[in-house]
Amino acid sequence: HTPADPIGVKDVRQAQSHVDWVKANRTCTKSTRIVALIESPRTTISEKVSIYAKSLCHYRPEQMKELCETITSVIRRVRAQSAVLSEEKVLEHLSREMIAAKLTPEDVIARLSKEPVQGMTRS
């Protein structure tokens, strides 16, 4: 994607279709939350996108890079100490580190779903 152009209908429909596929092919309860995400440097959407976006969220590549680097950093810190710890202690340490870095599943979902495509500026 080129940053200057808007996110188009084709990209949104394709990304949003993953939610439909999961619902049709995997067991989901009413409380199941599926976060559909389009990673793009684009910051605007074309006019008709909001019709198709439903629950689709937007995340910029630099945001994804930062998230992945944070996860990697936590794993490296835990791994460096894991040789002298039991499996149970490694898991406890990993859990504490993930909570401290705000990388629990709930934290990551909140981060990824901050910018719904429907709320983006139209071009």
Side-chain angles (χ1 to χ4, degrees), residues 23-71:
K23 287 179 179 177
N25 293 283
R26 296 291 184 253
T27 302
C28 297
T29 65
K30 288 186 180 190
S31 64
T32 299
R33 181 154 183 217
I34 302 167
V35 178
L37 188 69
I38 187 164
E39 180 187 2
S40 175
R42 295 177 175 177
T43 58
T44 61
I45 56 174
S46 63
E47 192 58 40
K48 296 181 182 180
V49 161
S50 60
I51 297 168
Y52 302 101
K54 298 180 189 174
S55 62
L56 187 64
C57 295
H58 175 252
Y59 213 61
R60 293 184 321 276
E62 61 271 16
Q63 291 174 298
M64 187 63 75
K65 182 179 184 221
E66 188 271 329
L67 175 60
C68 292
E69 287 172 349
T70 303
I71 293 168

Side-chain angles (χ1 to χ4, degrees), residues 60-107:
R60 293 184 321 276
E62 61 271 16
Q63 291 174 298
M64 187 63 75
K65 182 179 184 221
E66 188 271 329
L67 175 60
C68 292
E69 287 172 349
T70 303
I71 293 168
T72 301
S73 176
V74 167
I75 291 171
R76 283 186 179 142
R77 279 197 307 273
V78 171
R79 189 172 159 199
Q81 299 174 351
S82 67
V84 296
L85 299 174
S86 68
E87 283 186 34
E88 183 177 312
K89 292 293 181 187
V90 169
L91 292 175
E92 288 174 8
H93 185 56
L94 179 60
S95 177
R96 281 193 307 274
E97 289 283 333
M98 297 297 259
I99 291 167
K102 297 188 178 185
L103 292 172
T104 65
E106 294 82 10
D107 292 327

